[in-house]
Amino acid sequence: MTEDKARLTFLGTGTSQGVPIIGCRCAVCSSTDRKDKRFRASALVEYGGLRIIVDAGPDFRMQMLSQGISHLDAILLTHNHKDHTGGLDDVRSLNYIDRRSAEIYCERNVLEDLIREYPYVFTFPKYPGAPEWHMHVITEKPFIVHPNNDGRELVWVHDVGYSYRMPDGSFVPTGKCIDDMITDAVPAAEETVAEGVRVIPIRGLHGKLPVLGFRFGDIAYITDMSSIDDAELEKLKGLKHLTLNTVSYKPHHSHFSLDETLELADRIGAEHTWLTHLSHTFPKCEDFSIALEKLCRERNIRSIVRPAYDGLVIE
């Protein structure tokens, strides 16, 4: 495997409604500061020469355009809510431009929801123009993300759909049944893997819903959680950068409150902790940053905690 230092770009740092919220005239939603304009939560991770997206919500198209992305090696899904999966149809553009299927990594329950929500993707014979997905089923165990360059080139046939052009020039269907689209992700302990990067899932709960965060080297990305077991916190030792979600000063049924996030940031002890999935109930980004600095100093929190914003790069 080829791993090196990870680099993460925040593509979206807002709640399920984004910021500004439609129709709201509060100071944050009315702000002209670009740091107060928040797409739905998502991140681009560049790791071991691979480009990996974590979550593809309704703003996926604009997020890809903002970064000039024309190739992805993988899309990792934290859970099955629409603000994290609602943009998956837009991989059609990458299918056509990059001539690759979208390699999507998710848990079995998330896959089952996608089959219900995007039936035209999983129906055979396929509807011409449906996006091409290859699903990798993951669990809580570390897994390998492979480069999306296996030599099978997608070729578009008008009014028919896609076929694979093989290295020898022959054409084969992209699949004949749903099972052709689904494989189990390669465990990270697999010693025969020559290419790819190791990703460590972090289990947490989003209210009562089991969800995943992911660790890439010395960066961990966690969103949409309200609790994490102590055993999972062991996976987060020695981080340079940690991302945690918070939506409110007040307790929330499915997200960390600000106090809970600060307590967790101190327990984990990463050099830097970045807050995401932020709502308009917090102050403007610059004011919030100043307030967090003061709070951390008063509470002797050992991590440097700041709000993330769309376009922020950490490495």
Side-chain angles (χ1 to χ4, degrees), residues 273-288:
T273 299
W274 302 95
L275 306 186
T276 192
H277 213 285
L278 299 170
S279 74
H280 68 160
T281 62
F282 291 119
K284 295 178 183 179
C285 187
E286 293 295 341
D287 295 336
F288 193 26

Side-chain angles (χ1 to χ4, degrees), residues 96-305:
Y96 186 77
I97 296 297
D98 195 33
R99 299 190 175 185
R100 304 286 180 207
S101 64
E103 305 294 326
I104 301 174
Y105 295 69
C106 66
E107 293 192 271
R108 176 67 63 174
N109 68 304
V110 177
L111 170 60
E112 291 170 354
D113 277 357
L114 293 179
I115 292 171
R116 288 190 291 269
E117 293 171 10
Y118 294 93
Y120 58 96
V121 177
F122 297 93
T123 301
F124 293 84
K126 287 190 174 183
Y127 171 76
E132 285 289 339
W133 299 353
H134 178 205
M135 309 302 300
H136 303 258
V137 178
I138 61 176
T139 66
E140 297 174 19
K141 297 180 179 179
F143 60 93
I144 303 299
V145 172
H146 296 277
N148 190 2
N149 61 0
D150 64 1
R152 298 187 303 170
E153 179 186 20
L154 277 179
V155 177
W156 172 255
V157 180
H158 183 65
D159 287 340
V160 175
Y162 285 107
S163 293
Y164 282 123
R165 177 157 51 201
M166 307 305 287
D168 64 4
S170 62
F171 290 86
V172 299
T174 57
K176 296 181 180 179
C177 66
I178 194 170
D179 287 343
D180 294 337
M181 299 176 60
I182 303 168
T183 58
D184 290 332
V186 176
E190 185 75 43
E191 295 185 4
T192 59
V193 175
E195 291 185 291
V197 293
R198 181 174 186 261
V199 178
I200 301 173
I202 312 299
R203 169 66 73 207
L205 289 178
H206 181 32
K208 295 181 180 180
L209 177 68
V211 298
L212 292 177
F214 301 103
R215 178 170 181 164
F216 310 88
D218 60 2
I219 295 179
Y221 182 83
I222 290 173
T223 185
D224 284 49
M225 289 190 186
S226 55
S227 64
I228 306 176
D229 287 343
D230 288 347
E232 294 300 294
L233 296 183
E234 292 295 310
K235 298 178 182 178
L236 299 173
K237 288 184 175 179
L239 288 173
K240 182 176 181 182
H241 294 285
L242 169 67
T243 297
L244 290 173
N245 62 291
T246 183
V247 298
S248 176
Y249 289 105
K250 299 178 181 179
H252 192 277
H253 70 281
S254 61
H255 288 274
F256 294 122
S257 68
L258 180 60
D259 282 343
E260 290 169 332
T261 299
L262 293 177
E263 179 183 353
L264 191 56
D266 191 48
R267 287 186 64 191
I268 295 171
E271 291 181 34
H272 301 268
T273 299
W274 302 95
L275 306 186
T276 192
H277 213 285
L278 299 170
S279 74
H280 68 160
T281 62
F282 291 119
K284 295 178 183 179
C285 187
E286 293 295 341
D287 295 336
F288 193 26
S289 184
I290 294 169
L292 284 170
E293 183 177 4
K294 181 181 179 182
L295 272 174
C296 291
R297 187 169 57 248
E298 291 172 349
R299 301 184 187 186
N300 294 316
I301 293 174
R302 52 183 173 154
S303 182
I304 300 171
V305 184

